mmCIF file of all heavy atoms in Angstrom:
data_model
loop_
_atom_site.group_PDB
_atom_site.id
_atom_site.type_symbol
_atom_site.label_atom_id
_atom_site.label_comp_id
_atom_site.label_asym_id
_atom_site.label_seq_id
_atom_site.Cartn_x
_atom_site.Cartn_y
_atom_site.Cartn_z
ATOM 1 N N MET A 1 -39.780 126.184 18.998
ATOM 2 C CA MET A 1 -38.954 125.146 18.443
ATOM 3 C C MET A 1 -39.757 123.892 18.081
ATOM 4 O O MET A 1 -40.372 123.218 18.978
ATOM 5 C CB MET A 1 -37.788 124.749 19.395
ATOM 6 C CG MET A 1 -36.670 124.003 18.626
ATOM 7 S SD MET A 1 -35.226 123.992 19.717
ATOM 8 C CE MET A 1 -34.685 122.260 19.662
ATOM 9 N N ASN A 2 -39.706 123.509 16.839
ATOM 10 C CA ASN A 2 -40.477 122.368 16.397
ATOM 11 C C ASN A 2 -39.679 121.109 16.400
ATOM 12 O O ASN A 2 -38.676 121.043 15.658
ATOM 13 C CB ASN A 2 -41.010 122.629 15.023
ATOM 14 C CG ASN A 2 -41.961 121.526 14.577
ATOM 15 O OD1 ASN A 2 -42.327 120.644 15.288
ATOM 16 N ND2 ASN A 2 -42.476 121.679 13.332
ATOM 17 N N GLU A 3 -40.023 120.191 17.244
ATOM 18 C CA GLU A 3 -39.337 118.871 17.251
ATOM 19 C C GLU A 3 -39.851 117.836 16.373
ATOM 20 O O GLU A 3 -39.375 116.702 16.261
ATOM 21 C CB GLU A 3 -39.283 118.401 18.741
ATOM 22 C CG GLU A 3 -38.462 119.302 19.623
ATOM 23 C CD GLU A 3 -38.420 118.695 20.988
ATOM 24 O OE1 GLU A 3 -38.915 117.587 21.289
ATOM 25 O OE2 GLU A 3 -37.769 119.314 21.888
ATOM 26 N N ASN A 4 -40.888 118.147 15.605
ATOM 27 C CA ASN A 4 -41.538 117.167 14.789
ATOM 28 C C ASN A 4 -41.041 117.223 13.343
ATOM 29 O O ASN A 4 -41.723 117.105 12.425
ATOM 30 C CB ASN A 4 -43.028 117.399 14.817
ATOM 31 C CG ASN A 4 -43.606 116.839 16.135
ATOM 32 O OD1 ASN A 4 -43.241 115.864 16.771
ATOM 33 N ND2 ASN A 4 -44.669 117.547 16.625
ATOM 34 N N THR A 5 -39.825 117.457 13.228
ATOM 35 C CA THR A 5 -39.221 117.340 11.826
ATOM 36 C C THR A 5 -38.022 116.289 11.867
ATOM 37 O O THR A 5 -37.459 116.027 12.834
ATOM 38 C CB THR A 5 -38.622 118.687 11.495
ATOM 39 O OG1 THR A 5 -37.773 119.183 12.425
ATOM 40 C CG2 THR A 5 -39.712 119.738 11.228
ATOM 41 N N CYS A 6 -37.806 115.807 10.691
ATOM 42 C CA CYS A 6 -36.733 114.835 10.451
ATOM 43 C C CYS A 6 -35.430 115.430 10.748
ATOM 44 O O CYS A 6 -35.112 116.598 10.331
ATOM 45 C CB CYS A 6 -36.718 114.296 9.058
ATOM 46 S SG CYS A 6 -35.453 113.287 8.576
ATOM 47 N N ALA A 7 -34.565 114.684 11.552
ATOM 48 C CA ALA A 7 -33.189 115.272 11.856
ATOM 49 C C ALA A 7 -32.232 115.282 10.653
ATOM 50 O O ALA A 7 -31.205 115.924 10.721
ATOM 51 C CB ALA A 7 -32.615 114.403 12.956
ATOM 52 N N ALA A 8 -32.591 114.535 9.605
ATOM 53 C CA ALA A 8 -31.793 114.508 8.482
ATOM 54 C C ALA A 8 -32.201 115.328 7.337
ATOM 55 O O ALA A 8 -31.355 116.084 6.712
ATOM 56 C CB ALA A 8 -31.664 113.033 7.902
ATOM 57 N N CYS A 9 -33.483 115.486 6.990
ATOM 58 C CA CYS A 9 -33.918 116.177 5.851
ATOM 59 C C CYS A 9 -34.967 117.358 6.142
ATOM 60 O O CYS A 9 -35.341 118.010 5.259
ATOM 61 C CB CYS A 9 -34.535 115.298 4.793
ATOM 62 S SG CYS A 9 -36.075 114.638 5.243
ATOM 63 N N ASP A 10 -35.329 117.441 7.527
ATOM 64 C CA ASP A 10 -36.222 118.522 7.821
ATOM 65 C C ASP A 10 -37.662 118.394 7.392
ATOM 66 O O ASP A 10 -38.479 119.269 7.474
ATOM 67 C CB ASP A 10 -35.710 119.938 7.503
ATOM 68 C CG ASP A 10 -34.616 120.322 8.414
ATOM 69 O OD1 ASP A 10 -34.459 119.834 9.592
ATOM 70 O OD2 ASP A 10 -33.793 121.086 7.995
ATOM 71 N N SER A 11 -38.091 117.170 6.922
ATOM 72 C CA SER A 11 -39.344 116.912 6.518
ATOM 73 C C SER A 11 -40.225 116.840 7.799
ATOM 74 O O SER A 11 -39.645 116.445 8.912
ATOM 75 C CB SER A 11 -39.516 115.637 5.730
ATOM 76 O OG SER A 11 -38.937 115.768 4.497
ATOM 77 N N GLU A 12 -41.474 117.010 7.770
ATOM 78 C CA GLU A 12 -42.369 116.804 8.891
ATOM 79 C C GLU A 12 -42.472 115.356 9.111
ATOM 80 O O GLU A 12 -42.559 114.477 8.186
ATOM 81 C CB GLU A 12 -43.803 117.518 8.649
ATOM 82 C CG GLU A 12 -43.692 118.888 8.836
ATOM 83 C CD GLU A 12 -45.094 119.519 8.878
ATOM 84 O OE1 GLU A 12 -46.047 118.758 9.431
ATOM 85 O OE2 GLU A 12 -45.309 120.604 8.459
ATOM 86 N N LEU A 13 -42.563 115.047 10.476
ATOM 87 C CA LEU A 13 -42.695 113.577 10.846
ATOM 88 C C LEU A 13 -44.094 113.263 10.998
ATOM 89 O O LEU A 13 -44.887 114.076 11.438
ATOM 90 C CB LEU A 13 -41.905 113.390 12.144
ATOM 91 C CG LEU A 13 -40.395 113.627 12.162
ATOM 92 C CD1 LEU A 13 -39.828 113.500 13.551
ATOM 93 C CD2 LEU A 13 -39.722 112.668 11.127
ATOM 94 N N ASP A 14 -44.436 111.997 10.650
ATOM 95 C CA ASP A 14 -45.731 111.421 10.939
ATOM 96 C C ASP A 14 -45.574 110.205 11.730
ATOM 97 O O ASP A 14 -44.641 110.044 12.396
ATOM 98 C CB ASP A 14 -46.523 111.290 9.602
ATOM 99 C CG ASP A 14 -45.719 110.282 8.701
ATOM 100 O OD1 ASP A 14 -44.835 109.565 9.133
ATOM 101 O OD2 ASP A 14 -46.023 110.353 7.451
ATOM 102 N N GLU A 15 -46.668 109.331 11.761
ATOM 103 C CA GLU A 15 -46.628 108.129 12.573
ATOM 104 C C GLU A 15 -45.559 107.080 12.067
ATOM 105 O O GLU A 15 -45.275 106.182 12.779
ATOM 106 C CB GLU A 15 -48.036 107.524 12.599
ATOM 107 C CG GLU A 15 -48.457 106.900 11.287
ATOM 108 C CD GLU A 15 -49.255 107.902 10.409
ATOM 109 O OE1 GLU A 15 -49.093 109.111 10.610
ATOM 110 O OE2 GLU A 15 -49.966 107.457 9.576
ATOM 111 N N HIS A 16 -44.947 107.381 10.946
ATOM 112 C CA HIS A 16 -43.943 106.464 10.390
ATOM 113 C C HIS A 16 -42.554 106.907 10.817
ATOM 114 O O HIS A 16 -41.590 106.260 10.444
ATOM 115 C CB HIS A 16 -43.984 106.421 8.894
ATOM 116 C CG HIS A 16 -45.307 106.044 8.366
ATOM 117 N ND1 HIS A 16 -45.887 104.821 8.613
ATOM 118 C CD2 HIS A 16 -46.248 106.707 7.657
ATOM 119 C CE1 HIS A 16 -47.120 104.697 8.007
ATOM 120 N NE2 HIS A 16 -47.330 105.932 7.474
ATOM 121 N N ALA A 17 -42.430 107.964 11.683
ATOM 122 C CA ALA A 17 -41.103 108.350 12.166
ATOM 123 C C ALA A 17 -40.343 107.215 12.851
ATOM 124 O O ALA A 17 -40.876 106.431 13.479
ATOM 125 C CB ALA A 17 -41.281 109.444 13.015
ATOM 126 N N ILE A 18 -39.072 107.285 12.586
ATOM 127 C CA ILE A 18 -38.198 106.246 13.197
ATOM 128 C C ILE A 18 -37.287 106.992 14.177
ATOM 129 O O ILE A 18 -36.744 107.930 13.864
ATOM 130 C CB ILE A 18 -37.347 105.605 12.020
ATOM 131 C CG1 ILE A 18 -38.170 104.995 10.999
ATOM 132 C CG2 ILE A 18 -36.368 104.552 12.632
ATOM 133 C CD1 ILE A 18 -37.443 104.655 9.726
ATOM 134 N N GLN A 19 -37.098 106.343 15.345
ATOM 135 C CA GLN A 19 -36.172 106.870 16.338
ATOM 136 C C GLN A 19 -34.818 106.279 16.137
ATOM 137 O O GLN A 19 -34.637 105.068 16.071
ATOM 138 C CB GLN A 19 -36.736 106.717 17.705
ATOM 139 C CG GLN A 19 -36.159 107.591 18.702
ATOM 140 C CD GLN A 19 -36.779 107.625 20.018
ATOM 141 O OE1 GLN A 19 -36.699 106.652 20.862
ATOM 142 N NE2 GLN A 19 -37.587 108.662 20.401
ATOM 143 N N VAL A 20 -33.778 107.151 16.155
ATOM 144 C CA VAL A 20 -32.354 106.770 16.020
ATOM 145 C C VAL A 20 -31.597 107.350 17.119
ATOM 146 O O VAL A 20 -31.812 108.483 17.487
ATOM 147 C CB VAL A 20 -31.783 107.148 14.707
ATOM 148 C CG1 VAL A 20 -30.625 106.300 14.230
ATOM 149 C CG2 VAL A 20 -32.805 107.296 13.581
ATOM 150 N N THR A 21 -30.586 106.605 17.695
ATOM 151 C CA THR A 21 -29.840 107.226 18.697
ATOM 152 C C THR A 21 -28.491 107.493 18.118
ATOM 153 O O THR A 21 -27.745 106.680 17.592
ATOM 154 C CB THR A 21 -29.609 106.245 19.918
ATOM 155 O OG1 THR A 21 -30.905 105.852 20.345
ATOM 156 C CG2 THR A 21 -28.831 106.891 20.905
ATOM 157 N N ILE A 22 -28.154 108.774 18.107
ATOM 158 C CA ILE A 22 -26.941 109.339 17.428
ATOM 159 C C ILE A 22 -26.058 110.070 18.494
ATOM 160 O O ILE A 22 -26.540 110.926 19.109
ATOM 161 C CB ILE A 22 -27.199 110.283 16.321
ATOM 162 C CG1 ILE A 22 -28.054 109.599 15.205
ATOM 163 C CG2 ILE A 22 -25.884 110.801 15.709
ATOM 164 C CD1 ILE A 22 -27.327 108.525 14.417
ATOM 165 N N GLY A 23 -24.954 109.492 18.798
ATOM 166 C CA GLY A 23 -24.030 110.074 19.755
ATOM 167 C C GLY A 23 -24.699 110.169 21.140
ATOM 168 O O GLY A 23 -24.543 111.127 21.848
ATOM 169 N N GLY A 24 -25.546 109.167 21.440
ATOM 170 C CA GLY A 24 -26.145 109.199 22.813
ATOM 171 C C GLY A 24 -27.414 109.954 22.771
ATOM 172 O O GLY A 24 -28.153 110.017 23.848
ATOM 173 N N ARG A 25 -27.773 110.677 21.759
ATOM 174 C CA ARG A 25 -28.992 111.343 21.703
ATOM 175 C C ARG A 25 -30.130 110.739 20.781
ATOM 176 O O ARG A 25 -29.792 110.356 19.674
ATOM 177 C CB ARG A 25 -28.720 112.796 21.030
ATOM 178 C CG ARG A 25 -28.434 113.857 22.038
ATOM 179 C CD ARG A 25 -28.350 115.272 21.325
ATOM 180 N NE ARG A 25 -29.696 115.736 21.012
ATOM 181 C CZ ARG A 25 -29.902 116.683 20.095
ATOM 182 N NH1 ARG A 25 -28.872 117.280 19.483
ATOM 183 N NH2 ARG A 25 -31.165 117.147 19.793
ATOM 184 N N ALA A 26 -31.232 110.705 21.257
ATOM 185 C CA ALA A 26 -32.397 110.055 20.518
ATOM 186 C C ALA A 26 -32.947 111.180 19.546
ATOM 187 O O ALA A 26 -33.281 112.325 20.020
ATOM 188 C CB ALA A 26 -33.426 109.561 21.405
ATOM 189 N N VAL A 27 -32.980 110.905 18.307
ATOM 190 C CA VAL A 27 -33.550 111.842 17.319
ATOM 191 C C VAL A 27 -34.568 111.057 16.471
ATOM 192 O O VAL A 27 -34.516 109.837 16.489
ATOM 193 C CB VAL A 27 -32.442 112.469 16.472
ATOM 194 C CG1 VAL A 27 -31.540 113.354 17.210
ATOM 195 C CG2 VAL A 27 -31.718 111.472 15.691
ATOM 196 N N GLU A 28 -35.424 111.725 15.786
ATOM 197 C CA GLU A 28 -36.335 111.091 14.961
ATOM 198 C C GLU A 28 -36.155 111.542 13.447
ATOM 199 O O GLU A 28 -35.930 112.608 13.112
ATOM 200 C CB GLU A 28 -37.826 111.473 15.390
ATOM 201 C CG GLU A 28 -38.204 110.722 16.715
ATOM 202 C CD GLU A 28 -39.586 110.848 16.952
ATOM 203 O OE1 GLU A 28 -40.134 111.955 16.837
ATOM 204 O OE2 GLU A 28 -40.162 109.877 17.539
ATOM 205 N N VAL A 29 -36.390 110.487 12.647
ATOM 206 C CA VAL A 29 -36.197 110.770 11.187
ATOM 207 C C VAL A 29 -37.485 110.263 10.539
ATOM 208 O O VAL A 29 -38.301 109.497 11.057
ATOM 209 C CB VAL A 29 -34.954 110.122 10.618
ATOM 210 C CG1 VAL A 29 -33.729 110.732 11.107
ATOM 211 C CG2 VAL A 29 -34.955 108.599 10.889
ATOM 212 N N CYS A 30 -37.681 110.727 9.257
ATOM 213 C CA CYS A 30 -38.906 110.347 8.651
ATOM 214 C C CYS A 30 -38.902 108.999 7.936
ATOM 215 O O CYS A 30 -39.966 108.418 7.648
ATOM 216 C CB CYS A 30 -39.204 111.461 7.550
ATOM 217 S SG CYS A 30 -37.981 111.498 6.126
ATOM 218 N N CYS A 31 -37.747 108.515 7.561
ATOM 219 C CA CYS A 31 -37.772 107.216 6.956
ATOM 220 C C CYS A 31 -36.348 106.420 7.142
ATOM 221 O O CYS A 31 -35.420 107.038 7.682
ATOM 222 C CB CYS A 31 -37.881 107.456 5.354
ATOM 223 S SG CYS A 31 -36.554 108.503 4.697
ATOM 224 N N GLU A 32 -36.407 105.267 6.787
ATOM 225 C CA GLU A 32 -35.120 104.386 6.951
ATOM 226 C C GLU A 32 -33.980 105.010 6.265
ATOM 227 O O GLU A 32 -32.773 104.885 6.727
ATOM 228 C CB GLU A 32 -35.450 103.036 6.430
ATOM 229 C CG GLU A 32 -34.418 101.904 6.924
ATOM 230 C CD GLU A 32 -34.311 101.845 8.412
ATOM 231 O OE1 GLU A 32 -35.326 101.689 9.127
ATOM 232 O OE2 GLU A 32 -33.192 101.996 8.806
ATOM 233 N N GLU A 33 -34.192 105.627 5.179
ATOM 234 C CA GLU A 33 -33.038 106.210 4.350
ATOM 235 C C GLU A 33 -32.404 107.265 5.157
ATOM 236 O O GLU A 33 -31.201 107.389 5.196
ATOM 237 C CB GLU A 33 -33.669 106.769 3.044
ATOM 238 C CG GLU A 33 -32.497 107.106 1.981
ATOM 239 C CD GLU A 33 -33.031 107.602 0.729
ATOM 240 O OE1 GLU A 33 -34.166 107.210 0.329
ATOM 241 O OE2 GLU A 33 -32.512 108.539 0.211
ATOM 242 N N CYS A 34 -33.257 108.052 5.753
ATOM 243 C CA CYS A 34 -32.599 109.246 6.578
ATOM 244 C C CYS A 34 -31.949 108.659 7.858
ATOM 245 O O CYS A 34 -30.908 109.175 8.295
ATOM 246 C CB CYS A 34 -33.781 110.158 7.031
ATOM 247 S SG CYS A 34 -34.198 111.275 5.606
ATOM 248 N N ALA A 35 -32.508 107.630 8.452
ATOM 249 C CA ALA A 35 -31.850 107.026 9.561
ATOM 250 C C ALA A 35 -30.390 106.456 9.119
ATOM 251 O O ALA A 35 -29.429 106.673 9.825
ATOM 252 C CB ALA A 35 -32.737 105.823 10.116
ATOM 253 N N HIS A 36 -30.367 105.979 8.033
ATOM 254 C CA HIS A 36 -29.106 105.437 7.498
ATOM 255 C C HIS A 36 -28.138 106.517 7.292
ATOM 256 O O HIS A 36 -26.952 106.442 7.685
ATOM 257 C CB HIS A 36 -29.372 104.704 6.149
ATOM 258 C CG HIS A 36 -28.187 103.943 5.540
ATOM 259 N ND1 HIS A 36 -27.764 102.862 6.192
ATOM 260 C CD2 HIS A 36 -27.342 104.201 4.566
ATOM 261 C CE1 HIS A 36 -26.676 102.429 5.396
ATOM 262 N NE2 HIS A 36 -26.450 103.302 4.406
ATOM 263 N N LYS A 37 -28.614 107.636 6.687
ATOM 264 C CA LYS A 37 -27.661 108.761 6.527
ATOM 265 C C LYS A 37 -27.068 109.321 7.830
ATOM 266 O O LYS A 37 -25.956 109.646 7.854
ATOM 267 C CB LYS A 37 -28.521 110.016 5.861
ATOM 268 C CG LYS A 37 -28.621 109.949 4.376
ATOM 269 C CD LYS A 37 -29.133 111.249 3.880
ATOM 270 C CE LYS A 37 -30.057 111.082 2.630
ATOM 271 N NZ LYS A 37 -30.838 112.166 2.413
ATOM 272 N N LEU A 38 -27.995 109.363 8.898
ATOM 273 C CA LEU A 38 -27.512 109.918 10.112
ATOM 274 C C LEU A 38 -26.405 108.934 10.701
ATOM 275 O O LEU A 38 -25.432 109.368 11.274
ATOM 276 C CB LEU A 38 -28.670 110.021 11.128
ATOM 277 C CG LEU A 38 -29.498 111.285 10.997
ATOM 278 C CD1 LEU A 38 -30.404 111.471 12.201
ATOM 279 C CD2 LEU A 38 -28.670 112.526 10.863
ATOM 280 N N ARG A 39 -26.719 107.664 10.659
ATOM 281 C CA ARG A 39 -25.756 106.675 11.217
ATOM 282 C C ARG A 39 -24.463 106.746 10.376
ATOM 283 O O ARG A 39 -23.329 106.681 11.026
ATOM 284 C CB ARG A 39 -26.278 105.233 11.067
ATOM 285 C CG ARG A 39 -27.573 105.018 11.883
ATOM 286 C CD ARG A 39 -27.904 103.522 12.050
ATOM 287 N NE ARG A 39 -29.171 103.294 12.628
ATOM 288 C CZ ARG A 39 -30.251 102.889 11.881
ATOM 289 N NH1 ARG A 39 -30.075 102.707 10.622
ATOM 290 N NH2 ARG A 39 -31.427 102.705 12.518
ATOM 291 N N GLU A 40 -24.527 106.942 9.099
ATOM 292 C CA GLU A 40 -23.256 107.017 8.361
ATOM 293 C C GLU A 40 -22.510 108.270 8.631
ATOM 294 O O GLU A 40 -21.244 108.262 8.919
ATOM 295 C CB GLU A 40 -23.599 107.147 6.821
ATOM 296 C CG GLU A 40 -24.145 105.952 6.254
ATOM 297 C CD GLU A 40 -23.220 105.372 5.232
ATOM 298 O OE1 GLU A 40 -22.972 106.017 4.206
ATOM 299 O OE2 GLU A 40 -22.738 104.211 5.324
ATOM 300 N N ALA A 41 -23.212 109.399 8.840
ATOM 301 C CA ALA A 41 -22.555 110.596 9.331
ATOM 302 C C ALA A 41 -21.899 110.507 10.637
ATOM 303 O O ALA A 41 -20.815 111.066 10.835
ATOM 304 C CB ALA A 41 -23.655 111.777 9.336
ATOM 305 N N GLU A 42 -22.480 109.774 11.516
ATOM 306 C CA GLU A 42 -21.876 109.596 12.859
ATOM 307 C C GLU A 42 -20.524 108.821 12.766
ATOM 308 O O GLU A 42 -19.635 109.105 13.574
ATOM 309 C CB GLU A 42 -22.865 108.953 13.794
ATOM 310 C CG GLU A 42 -22.417 108.987 15.210
ATOM 311 C CD GLU A 42 -23.101 107.910 16.070
ATOM 312 O OE1 GLU A 42 -23.676 106.990 15.647
ATOM 313 O OE2 GLU A 42 -23.224 108.278 17.327
ATOM 314 N N LEU A 43 -20.502 107.876 11.874
ATOM 315 C CA LEU A 43 -19.255 107.024 11.801
ATOM 316 C C LEU A 43 -18.115 107.790 11.188
ATOM 317 O O LEU A 43 -17.071 107.391 11.429
ATOM 318 C CB LEU A 43 -19.617 105.813 10.936
ATOM 319 C CG LEU A 43 -20.607 104.811 11.556
ATOM 320 C CD1 LEU A 43 -20.902 103.658 10.613
ATOM 321 C CD2 LEU A 43 -20.062 104.344 12.898
ATOM 322 N N ARG A 44 -18.367 108.855 10.487
ATOM 323 C CA ARG A 44 -17.262 109.660 9.907
ATOM 324 C C ARG A 44 -16.421 110.364 10.965
ATOM 325 O O ARG A 44 -17.047 110.944 11.842
ATOM 326 C CB ARG A 44 -17.838 110.715 8.909
ATOM 327 C CG ARG A 44 -18.643 110.079 7.831
ATOM 328 C CD ARG A 44 -17.954 110.190 6.456
ATOM 329 N NE ARG A 44 -18.539 109.253 5.491
ATOM 330 C CZ ARG A 44 -19.595 109.413 4.810
ATOM 331 N NH1 ARG A 44 -20.212 110.570 4.932
ATOM 332 N NH2 ARG A 44 -20.079 108.540 3.918
ATOM 333 N N PRO A 45 -15.237 110.476 10.808
ATOM 334 C CA PRO A 45 -14.321 111.116 11.755
ATOM 335 C C PRO A 45 -14.543 112.714 11.750
ATOM 336 O O PRO A 45 -15.002 113.164 10.732
ATOM 337 C CB PRO A 45 -12.849 110.877 11.334
ATOM 338 C CG PRO A 45 -12.900 110.028 10.213
ATOM 339 C CD PRO A 45 -14.384 109.793 9.734
HETATM 340 ZN ZN1 LIG B 101 -35.877 112.525 6.418
#
């Protein structure tokens, strides 16, 4: 299992990865745009 991929778009992560906490879980995304997508998704019912 590869954990070095973006939680939003499955791109490979590099040193620019951003850590986001979603539903109490820390995940990593490749860019601010993907972090935003995940946060938006979490807010949806
Ligand atoms: Zn991404």
Side-chain angles (χ1 to χ4, degrees):
M1 196 166 133
N2 187 3
E3 292 184 1
N4 286 325
T5 54
C6 173
C9 73
D10 285 336
S11 290
E12 281 193 33
L13 296 174
D14 56 20
E15 69 271 21
H16 304 297
I18 304 167
Q19 199 170 71
V20 203
T21 305
I22 300 293
R25 265 190 73 197
V27 297
E28 286 189 321
V29 292
C30 65
C31 61
E32 194 55 53
E33 195 180 323
C34 284
H36 187 71
K37 273 191 213 166
L38 281 190
R39 291 193 196 106
E40 289 243 303
E42 189 195 26
L43 292 178
R44 300 249 161 84

